[in-house]
Amino acid sequence: VIVPNTYEVIIVGASLAGSSLALRLARRGVSVAVFDKAKFPRRKACGEGVSSIGVRLLKELGITPGSTELPANLLDGYVLCRGRRKVEVPFIEQDSCSDSGYGIQRLVLDSLIIKRATAAGVRFELGTSVRSVTRSAEGGWIVEAAGQIVHGKTLVLADGANSIVAESLGIHSEVKTDPRFGFSMVLEGQSASPISRVHILVHDTFEIACTPVSPTLLNTTIMAPRSSIADSLEPAQLQSILSAVREQTGFIGAVCEDERAPLGIGPLNRSRRGGFHDGVFLVGDACETLDPIGGMGMTHALVSAALAEKSLWSHLRQSQDIFEAGRSYEAKRESEMRALRGFTRLTYFYLRKMSHTSLFPALGNSALIREVSRAAHRNIAPSVLGFCCNLLLNVVGFL
Ligand SMILES: Cc1cc2nc3c(=O)[nH]c(=O)nc-3n(C[C@H](O)[C@H](O)[C@H](O)COP(=O)(O)OP(=O)(O)OC[C@H]3O[C@@H](n4cnc5c(N)ncnc54)[C@H](O)[C@@H]3O)c2cc1C
């Protein structure tokens, strides 16, 4: 008997983690319904730099950065700047044939994945906030939203760092750092030579990350503690940001109007809930958030979705017990996450502590930082140094 409005998987959140998981499941014939309070295309405050690991996962979904449907700007490393001191950190070998990272506008990327998932048969209820979910007597889930009652065999939360559904189910997050606040915007303009690196401008209390998302568009994201940032950017602050960006990146531009104007965001914390709780799967930021400065949040959203899909499939189609499937998902996610988490922590530490000292250019221009960055992006040839960097990332990510 087919009960109307019944799906094998219900996902709350249609951003990167939720819609990429939905697309993967639908392509394998699993029925999926996704809810999101936002209507797409929508803006999302983000630095918009996708790592080479994330790019490989997008390609697995049939989504190619740099194609006509997804304009993007190739990224091959970072430039860390403090005053006149600069450190170049490539994460791709010049002669490497592996994937590059890309700067991609979320406005375009997130909608494209939803479009693909819709074509694969996913039901999206957009503009629909889910306040809570209930467990049915048969062990499934009931979501009341969009004026309808929708039943699901399994539930996935992909509703971001401040997941109210997780909180309503008693799945609380462990917060790790002092909160920061920020603004994300897109500048339109040009630079004398093409920019292929994310520039991170470090100041005493704040950072500005500049990611090219096309030859004429530069994402500019400012992050600072609450004490040094207000609810809106004053014109004078904006002007000093624009001149710092021009000086360090060579990009001369102005803030785009409409959907690319400064968008406030915060509080931003490093937080962790874990990927599986009592029959509920969590993916992306709902499960764990990383400090944005490392640029690995989207990668985690895509990695966790890919791993959750495998475990949900084993449960739904190979009759694996849901608790076994969930534990296996969390174990694999944790093992994949260690290096990404380690990289984010080391980047944060290095920028906040080392950039004040004379060790900044000395250490930054040594092979170590470059090899750590390459190891995090899985672009390192097997070598003793590569092995040690990988070990370092895993140890720091574990602690
Ligand atoms: C300032 C900043 C800069 C960043 N820069 C980078 C970067 O350069 N590179 C990088 O890789 N990552 C970056 N990140 C991190 C990245 O944006 C996130 O890790 C990523 O968006 C997580 O995706 P997600 O799908 O898990 O969650 P989100 O993108 O947060 O999406 C959650 C979705 O759930 C929906 N939702 C929430 N509550 C409900 C509800 N009750 N009912 C229905 N829907 C709901 C929301 O509308 C939203 O669409 C940055 C983040 C910030 C804040």
Side-chain angles (χ1 to χ4, degrees):
V1 182
I2 297 176
V3 183
N5 272 346
T6 297
Y7 296 84
E8 288 173 283
V9 182
I10 290 181
I11 303 175
V12 184
S15 184
L16 210 51
S19 58
S20 66
L21 173 60
L23 175 54
R24 284 177 183 276
L25 288 166
R27 286 203 172 146
R28 298 246 260 162
V30 175
S31 61
V32 188
V34 185
F35 295 85
D36 200 296
K37 63 182 180 186
K39 285 190 174 159
F40 290 73
R42 63 94 172 83
R43 295 187 64 200
K44 158 90 182 81
C46 183
E48 302 188 320
V50 187
S51 76
S52 48
I53 306 166
V55 167
R56 187 176 49 74
L57 290 166
L58 285 175
K59 287 184 177 170
E60 263 179 38
L61 294 170
I63 289 172
T64 312
S67 58
T68 27
E69 61 180 358
L70 188 59
N73 197 99
L74 193 136
L75 300 175
D76 61 6
Y78 300 94
V79 185
L80 311 176
C81 317
R82 189 178 172 103
R84 291 179 177 278
R85 296 183 296 181
K86 278 193 187 186
V87 171
E88 298 269 348
V89 187
F91 53 66
I92 301 289
E93 291 276 10
Q94 287 295 316
D95 54 354
S96 163
C97 54
S98 57
D99 285 320
S100 306
Y102 277 92
I104 310 174
Q105 284 192 79
R106 296 291 298 267
L107 192 73
V108 185
L109 174 64
D110 294 11
S111 298
L112 180 62
I113 304 178
I114 290 178
K115 192 172 144 200
R116 289 287 171 80
T118 306
V122 175
R123 169 180 168 184
F124 281 95
E125 289 292 346
L126 302 176
T128 307
S129 181
V130 175
R131 310 302 304 173
S132 64
V133 293
T134 43
R135 224 180 263 268
S136 71
E138 298 78 37
W141 296 92
I142 303 169
V143 174
E144 277 191 68
Q148 302 185 54
I149 297 180
V150 178
H151 296 260
K153 193 171 173 191
T154 51
L155 175 69
V156 180
L157 302 183
D159 49 344
N162 301 317
S163 171
I164 52 165
V165 182
E167 294 299 317
S168 77
L169 292 170
I171 309 171
H172 302 298
S173 75
E174 193 190 321
V175 175
K176 303 271 184 191
T177 47
D178 297 334
R180 286 187 297 155
F181 290 75
F183 290 96
S184 232
M185 60 193 156
V186 180
L187 308 183
E188 187 162 22
Q190 57 190 353
S191 60
S193 51
I195 306 175
S196 64
R197 294 201 169 157
V198 177
H199 285 63
I200 302 178
L201 285 43
V202 192
H203 293 257
D204 282 341
T205 53
F206 64 96
E207 302 101 38
I208 306 173
C210 307
T211 310
V213 290
S214 87
T216 55
L217 297 175
L218 186 76
N219 176 301
T220 303
T221 295
I222 299 104
M223 283 166 285
R226 188 37 135 189
S227 51
S228 51
I229 204 161
D231 284 338
S232 62
L233 279 181
E234 299 292 329
Q237 271 180 315
L238 188 56
Q239 280 317 313
S240 79
I241 291 167
L242 293 185
S243 50
V245 169
R246 187 183 316 134
E247 196 181 314
Q248 297 287 5
T249 66
F251 188 91
I252 303 170
V255 181
C256 290
E257 294 301 326
D258 61 57
E259 75 264 3
R260 294 174 193 138
L263 181 66
I265 175 88
L268 308 168
N269 291 303
R270 272 196 283 144
S271 63
R272 229 202 279 195
R273 285 195 183 85
F276 185 74
H277 290 267
D278 201 17
V280 182
F281 285 75
L282 291 92
V283 290
D285 277 11
C287 157
E288 176 166 357
T289 57
L290 299 166
D291 191 284
I293 205 70
M296 286 294 184
M298 286 194 263
T299 301
H300 172 242
L302 292 162
V303 167
S304 57
L307 295 173
E309 183 261 335
K310 290 194 173 65
S311 288
L312 283 162
W313 173 263
S314 302
H315 166 60
L316 293 166
R317 296 299 160 86
Q318 294 170 338
S319 305
Q320 188 184 25
D321 175 71
I322 189 158
F323 290 93
E324 259 176 54
R327 278 194 293 271
S328 135
Y329 158 62
E330 179 55 1
K332 287 185 191 138
R333 190 195 69 84
E334 176 57 27
S335 115
E336 290 282 317
M337 271 310 282
R338 275 184 203 142
L340 301 186
R341 203 187 286 134
F343 175 70
T344 306
R345 284 184 189 164
L346 285 174
T347 308
Y348 184 82
F349 175 80
Y350 179 66
L351 291 177
R352 288 265 54 98
K353 307 282 181 207
M354 292 297 171
S355 67
H356 294 260
T357 71
S358 53
L359 278 176
F360 179 60
L363 189 60
N365 291 315
S366 71
L368 182 67
I369 297 285
R370 278 196 296 277
E371 296 309 299
V372 165
S373 176
R374 284 195 190 126
H377 293 83
R378 297 190 199 139
N379 187 254
I380 199 160
S383 67
V384 176
L385 185 57
F387 174 80
C388 294
C389 290
N390 214 15
L391 189 66
L392 174 69
L393 289 171
N394 276 278
V395 170
V396 175
F398 174 74
L399 293 173

